[in-house]
Amino acid sequence: MSSENADAGHEHEDSSVWDVVVVGAGPAGASAAYAAAVAGRRVLLLEKAELPRYKTCGGGIIGYSRDSLPPGFELPLRDRIHAVTFSLNGRLARTRRSKRMLFGLINRPEFDAGLVEEAQKAGAELRTGATVSRVEQHGAAVPDRRTVAVVLSGGETVLARAVVGADGSAGRIGAHVGVKLDQVDLGLEAEIPVPQTVAEDWAGRVLIDWGPMPGSYGWVFPKGDTLTVGVISARGDGGGTKRYLEDFVARLGLAGFEPKISSGHLTRCRSDDSPLSRGRVLVCGDAAGLLEPWTREGISFALRSGRLAGEWAVRVAESHDAVDARRQALNYAFAIKAGLGVEMSVGRRMLKLFERRPGVLHAVLTGFRPAWNAFAGITRGTTSLAELVRSHPLAQRALSTMDRK
């Protein structure tokens, strides 16, 4: 939809009502705001923090992430990865290399700020320091059935024809929609400055360590003079996860370096029947529980779902009654489930396999070239877990066997 046509169709709209309000200025929210603004709509992007702000995140940008960026967006890459070292709880380390780049590494403050800037260039308006306390679709704050009221913590009410929730897995909008979660994991991470000699040893290479607890793994991502070192495991054994990180850092020879940031966060995956909308409100990214369950990779899911949410929010905003708004919201849910939902389903099955047989997975990845090629294809974005399973009968049989156990 061109901006000219959009303006023509809204000559008589109430200028006090935004077409689309997006809550949360991470990758999902910025992508949603960009998509809606490019369509010529009046878009307000609300963010509770001041930008740039730190986010606990490995910062790996795989092919699907690059493909989902605004045209011409220059990634603020800190390193380009051509090699991966795999280890099994510190043992049996093996490095696989590639002539072509596998994926890039970014720092989230720079990356997120760049995406927000693209949304602003497209016409979205940004407000930072704006904390949303609740969303209302009925009641005194809502002037008509086409309007959603976004109430800020200071009491101000912002009106919109459609709202996109991208405020994280513990945010207000997901709670309003009724998002249901069936997998919660704890990630711990440290940003460790290192001397140039150490940084040079890691340049262009990451480490992935399959951990001691079921479904756990650790990583080292080099970003110039800093190494991002982290671990993740199922929530419930915080002490064990902390010990894993401490042991991991120690055996890497990094215990003597003081982290400039140590942080933790919970990642949450949606259940299959979790809603993606309620009335004129859509959710995307972490707010919808959209991430890959095995690796817990979330940036590509945020970018892709955010773009879809922004596009469908435009259609919801154009809807003149509840029936049409509901139809557009259902179309958004269908688009998510047909793409990201299929990938999540395969990811859940891969996680079960990994939890039961991490040694087998390690052996296959490090000793079976087709498996390494598949891993490289996923990181480059030339294929996905779902596509691999669909196209390889052996993979289908292996997952089916694990499903029956």
Side-chain angles (χ1 to χ4, degrees):
M1 179 186 302
S2 70
S3 177
E4 180 181 351
N5 290 338
D7 291 340
H10 285 252
E11 288 177 348
H12 305 294
E13 290 284 2
D14 184 350
S15 61
S16 67
V17 181
W18 295 88
D19 292 320
V20 178
V21 168
V22 180
V23 183
S31 296
Y34 173 85
V38 162
R41 296 312 188 198
R42 294 183 65 247
V43 179
L44 177 63
L45 178 58
L46 300 175
E47 168 58 43
K48 65 181 180 181
E50 297 297 329
L51 298 177
R53 80 291 188 249
Y54 179 79
K55 284 287 185 180
T56 304
C57 179
I61 302 295
I62 63 174
Y64 278 123
S65 296
R66 295 194 299 270
D67 294 344
S68 302
L69 296 169
F73 183 83
E74 291 190 16
L75 278 167
L77 292 181
R78 290 298 178 133
D79 205 343
R80 291 169 169 81
I81 300 306
H82 289 79
V84 181
T85 297
F86 297 98
S87 62
L88 184 62
N89 196 22
R91 301 175 291 108
L92 305 175
R94 183 173 181 184
T95 300
R96 305 302 301 257
R97 302 184 183 276
S98 171
K99 292 181 180 179
R100 295 169 52 202
M101 186 178 83
L102 296 167
F103 57 96
L105 298 177
I106 53 91
N107 284 329
R108 281 289 301 277
E110 300 168 347
F111 179 67
D112 291 11
L115 289 175
V116 169
E117 185 177 343
E118 291 295 323
Q120 290 177 288
K121 288 178 182 177
E125 182 174 319
L126 171 68
R127 283 184 59 181
T128 58
T131 300
V132 173
S133 62
R134 67 184 185 278
V135 174
E136 297 181 7
Q137 300 194 64
H138 307 282
V142 183
D144 56 61
R145 294 185 179 182
R146 287 191 61 206
T147 307
V148 181
V150 180
V151 183
L152 306 185
S153 59
E156 178 186 356
T157 297
V158 178
L159 302 178
R161 300 297 182 203
V163 171
V164 175
D167 52 341
S169 59
R172 301 286 186 178
I173 313 303
H176 173 79
V177 168
V179 172
K180 295 185 288 185
L181 307 164
D182 68 358
Q183 178 186 327
V184 183
D185 298 290
L186 171 63
L188 301 177
E189 197 167 72
E191 302 285 350
I192 304 177
V194 293
Q196 183 178 354
T197 53
V198 176
E200 289 172 351
D201 288 341
W202 285 98
R205 177 176 66 94
V206 302
L207 168 64
I208 297 177
D209 177 74
W210 313 119
M213 296 171 286
S216 66
Y217 74 96
W219 61 88
V220 178
F221 284 0
K223 299 172 184 175
D225 60 359
T226 299
L227 300 179
T228 298
V229 183
V231 301
I232 195 163
S233 67
R235 183 180 66 171
D237 186 4
T241 306
K242 184 179 180 182
R243 285 191 297 274
Y244 176 27
L245 178 60
E246 292 171 348
D247 293 344
F248 187 44
V249 169
R251 69 170 180 251
L252 291 169
L254 300 174
F257 303 115
E258 184 69 24
K260 62 180 178 182
I261 297 176
S262 295
S263 61
H265 71 296
L266 295 175
T267 64
R268 299 173 171 93
C269 289
R270 68 187 296 273
S271 58
D272 283 335
D273 62 345
S274 179
L276 290 162
S277 67
R278 177 181 174 186
R280 291 177 174 268
V281 179
L282 312 177
V283 286
C284 61
D286 287 346
L290 293 168
L291 71 156
E292 200 282 293
W294 173 34
T295 63
R296 290 81 155 185
E297 190 277 322
I299 294 179
S300 75
F301 279 67
L303 293 170
R304 288 182 283 173
S305 65
R307 184 187 71 244
L308 287 171
E311 292 170 353
W312 287 106
V314 169
R315 294 169 172 84
V316 171
E318 293 171 342
S319 301
H320 288 277
D321 56 53
V323 173
D324 191 36
R326 176 62 175 163
R327 182 184 303 114
Q328 302 304 335
L330 287 173
N331 286 337
Y332 165 66
F334 178 80
I336 290 291
K337 292 174 183 178
L340 300 181
V342 173
E343 292 182 35
M344 290 185 71
S345 178
V346 175
R348 287 189 183 93
R349 298 164 73 189
M350 285 296 299
L351 177 61
K352 289 181 181 179
L353 175 61
F354 173 53
E355 288 173 339
R356 297 172 186 175
R357 302 286 181 85
V360 171
L361 181 68
H362 178 72
V364 169
L365 268 175
T366 58
F368 188 50
R369 179 162 290 277
W372 163 250
N373 291 340
F375 176 89
I378 291 171
T379 61
R380 294 191 187 109
T382 57
T383 188
S384 68
L385 272 175
E387 290 169 350
L388 285 169
V389 171
R390 280 197 297 263
S391 60
H392 288 76
L394 283 176
Q396 294 176 18
R397 285 201 292 270
L399 290 179
S400 296
T401 298
M402 295 306 295
D403 287 341
R404 291 193 293 269
K405 291 183 177 180

